[in-house]
Amino acid sequence: MARLAFVLACALALLASSVASGAIVEHSFNVNNLTVSRLCQNQSITVVNGSYPGPAIYARDGDTLIVHVLNQSPYNISIHWHGIFQLLSPWADGPVYVTQCPIRPGQSYTYKFNITGQEGTLWWHAHISWLRATVHGALIIHPKVGRSFPFPKPAKEVPILLGEWYNGNVVDIEEEGLSKGIAPNISNAYTINGLPGDLYDCSQNQTYQLSVVRGKTYLLRLINAGLNTQLFFKIANHKMTVVAIDATYTTPYVTDVVVTGPGQTTDVLVKFNQPIGSYYMAATPYASASDTIDFDNSTTRGIIVYKSSNSSTPIMPLMPNPHDTPLAHKFLTNLTSLAGGPQWVPVPLKVDEHMFVTIGVNLEMCPENATCQGLFNNRMSASMSNESFVLPSNTSMLEAQFHNVSGVYTRDFPNEPPIKFDYTDTNISLDLSLIYAPKSTKVKTLKFNSTVEMVLQNTAFLAIENHPMHLHGFNFHVLAQGFGNYDPINDPKKFNFVNPQIRNTIGVPVGGWAVIRFQANNPGIWYMHCHLDVHLPWGLGMAFEVENGPTPESTLPPPPLDLPKC
């Protein structure tokens, strides 16, 4: 009997240890090309495991995720785990030439990282060229065993991936735009879980449907996987309660419309309490810029069907005007974090680094013996604080940091732009003394565990628009946001230090600013960039170099042996 008790105690101890340390979640990703039919034509696209969108990954806080990627496509590839902190695993972050060289056709690489202190909706996607248009999928993190959501358990959880569809090879579309120095072609449709919906040609049978039970509450995990478009999302005759954004819990916020930018996620509870029937869910663009910038002004929709419904004509929601910035701003500024809730982190109050960073679209001089079709026969460009970021091409920045290799990047990204001016005055839109930005690979070096406060200031160069800015490796608190030029005297009075929203991607208001704050508690190279892919190769990005801390647990580990080589 004593022996049995001893064996049982050991078994329980092992079980407790397993639960505490988390499980190993392992997947294999085969990247290949697939021919699909959309909008009346067959199109070859790059996908993972033969599916578009790609497979959803489910894990728990504390789990270790291992993903074996075999590149059987004709293109270089990498995978970014959008929103994952990558604590002491920066080699697995994924952005090409930042943390790794690309996985070449026929080659493979295994991503391995721990999920630490996170739960909610994230996603994974390709982080090279425009391949993330079709190479993407949901990454859903549940609470540890024994823990629950900070809201009533839903009857069902449903990932809803909002995307953009292009009639053509997205790699060719991007390269054509870059070669001409202009913005590439806009999308031809929007999609819900890979399907365009019945408003588009040849799409009557390509409409996503969700069957629901009347009286039940569902958790819809919304992911904007689009390349270049922010979206309004609505469900006819139904309210939504926002309970999380970017895998951080929020104070429940009831709304009939969700605004989401590329890279952002929004979790909403929907109680299906309307009369039995069918209802459209729909997404249309939020086009923050003026009509001078072309955009895909179309609508994707899916159908929510109540079980036992005989309705053949779903009800359609009234969709917002694409330029309704007040509506978008109301939604985006009414979100607050769930203070004291699971994984909540209070705002760090002591600031070590203050940065004022301008963002916007610029011009680049057309090279000699080249033909450019951008404004004034130049190339389109973009910058942060007048530095147009260029990625290296023969090694990754993280390898250069670890091996102390010089000449790959410089450590002189400025804390403020070189020239002060009226940033949002439309009269500067074509000021030739301001709109040319030099190309560089400058990073901002941070001491381990230092706290950074950034004012992200939009500019009126060429086009005034909302820019979704994504920071790899960290969440940040959004202390405040507004329109016009940031006022360093009066705007800090608006800072929310109690329950500001916590995000990894912030839409800096059109013609306005946002203030974010984060703690640099993870050594490595961390990319910050606009998540509009049209602006990324133009140079709207920068990087943080976080130095090692004082202990082995805060030191950048060596690269994996199978890290792709350039």
Side-chain angles (χ1 to χ4, degrees), residues 238-538:
H238 289 77
K239 296 285 188 180
M240 297 173 281
T241 301
V242 179
V243 291
I245 53 175
D246 290 0
T248 61
Y249 294 114
T250 62
T251 307
Y253 175 65
V254 179
T255 179
D256 67 348
V257 61
V258 166
V259 184
T260 177
Q264 293 182 327
T265 69
T266 309
D267 291 0
V268 295
L269 291 174
V270 183
K271 185 170 185 179
F272 291 105
N273 56 3
Q274 294 301 300
I276 289 178
S278 57
Y279 302 83
Y280 279 116
M281 65 173 90
T284 56
Y286 165 44
S288 61
S290 66
D291 283 320
T292 57
I293 294 182
D294 200 13
F295 68 97
D296 176 5
N297 191 9
S298 65
T299 300
T300 181
R301 60 187 187 183
I303 303 173
I304 294 172
V305 181
Y306 281 60
K307 287 189 176 179
S308 303
S309 170
N310 296 316
S311 171
S312 59
T313 306
I315 299 172
M316 179 67 185
L318 179 65
M319 301 305 291
N321 183 297
H323 300 301
D324 196 342
T325 287
L327 178 63
H329 190 68
K330 177 184 176 183
F331 173 84
L332 293 170
T333 54
N334 275 337
L335 302 173
T336 56
S337 67
L338 186 63
Q343 316 298 356
W344 176 72
V345 176
V347 181
L349 300 180
K350 179 182 177 294
V351 177
D352 303 293
E353 293 279 358
H354 288 271
M355 301 180 69
F356 182 92
V357 178
T358 55
I359 57 176
V361 178
N362 299 80
L363 289 179
E364 175 189 356
M365 297 293 290
C366 189
E368 287 188 32
N369 303 318
T371 300
C372 301
Q373 299 179 18
L375 196 64
F376 306 131
N377 295 318
N378 288 320
R379 291 183 183 275
M380 300 301 294
S381 181
S383 70
M384 295 181 68
S385 287
N386 204 49
E387 297 291 341
S388 188
F389 194 76
V390 180
L391 288 169
S393 58
N394 55 4
T395 189
S396 74
M397 300 170 69
L398 187 60
E399 288 176 279
Q401 180 193 22
F402 182 82
H403 296 294
N404 197 25
V405 177
S406 61
V408 177
Y409 59 86
T410 60
R411 297 178 171 91
D412 53 347
F413 186 87
N415 276 357
E416 58 184 35
I419 301 174
K420 295 181 180 180
F421 53 95
D422 188 348
Y423 306 110
T424 55
D425 182 359
T426 55
N427 291 322
I428 68 161
S429 180
L430 300 178
D431 188 331
L432 298 183
S433 68
L434 295 173
I435 60 177
Y436 291 94
K439 297 292 182 181
S440 66
T441 308
K442 295 184 177 181
V443 308
K444 172 66 178 178
T445 301
L446 301 174
K447 295 291 185 184
F448 178 79
N449 235 19
S450 61
T451 296
V452 182
E453 181 178 293
M454 295 183 73
V455 177
L456 294 168
Q457 173 69 62
N458 252 318
T459 58
F461 295 149
L462 302 184
I464 308 176
E465 57 185 320
N466 182 300
H467 291 282
M469 301 299 296
H470 172 50
L471 176 60
H472 289 232
F474 305 97
N475 281 344
F476 49 76
H477 294 86
V478 182
L479 300 184
Q481 50 191 310
F483 296 105
N485 294 327
Y486 174 74
D487 181 345
I489 303 300
N490 294 308
D491 285 333
K493 300 174 185 176
K494 307 171 186 175
F495 286 4
N496 179 356
F497 293 111
V498 177
N499 61 350
Q501 57 183 277
I502 301 173
R503 309 206 72 132
N504 62 57
T505 306
I506 173 70
V508 181
V510 52
W513 52 270
V515 181
I516 67 173
R517 190 178 290 187
F518 69 96
Q519 191 167 15
N521 58 1
N522 194 12
I525 295 283
W526 303 106
Y527 201 16
M528 184 178 198
H529 61 88
C530 182
H531 224 271
L532 299 179
D533 271 24
V534 67
H535 295 157
L536 188 54
W538 291 355

Side-chain angles (χ1 to χ4, degrees), residues 193-263:
N193 286 345
L195 299 173
D198 55 11
L199 288 176
Y200 297 100
D201 292 340
C202 305
S203 301
Q204 289 298 312
N205 296 321
Q206 294 187 341
T207 303
Y208 174 72
Q209 291 200 25
L210 174 62
S211 176
V212 301
V213 176
R214 189 175 187 275
K216 299 291 186 179
T217 297
Y218 289 59
L219 178 63
L220 303 186
R221 297 180 178 272
L222 307 178
I223 300 169
N224 187 337
L227 285 183
N228 294 309
T229 307
Q230 298 168 91
L231 296 166
F232 291 112
F233 177 86
K234 296 186 73 172
I235 302 174
N237 293 6
H238 289 77
K239 296 285 188 180
M240 297 173 281
T241 301
V242 179
V243 291
I245 53 175
D246 290 0
T248 61
Y249 294 114
T250 62
T251 307
Y253 175 65
V254 179
T255 179
D256 67 348
V257 61
V258 166
V259 184
T260 177

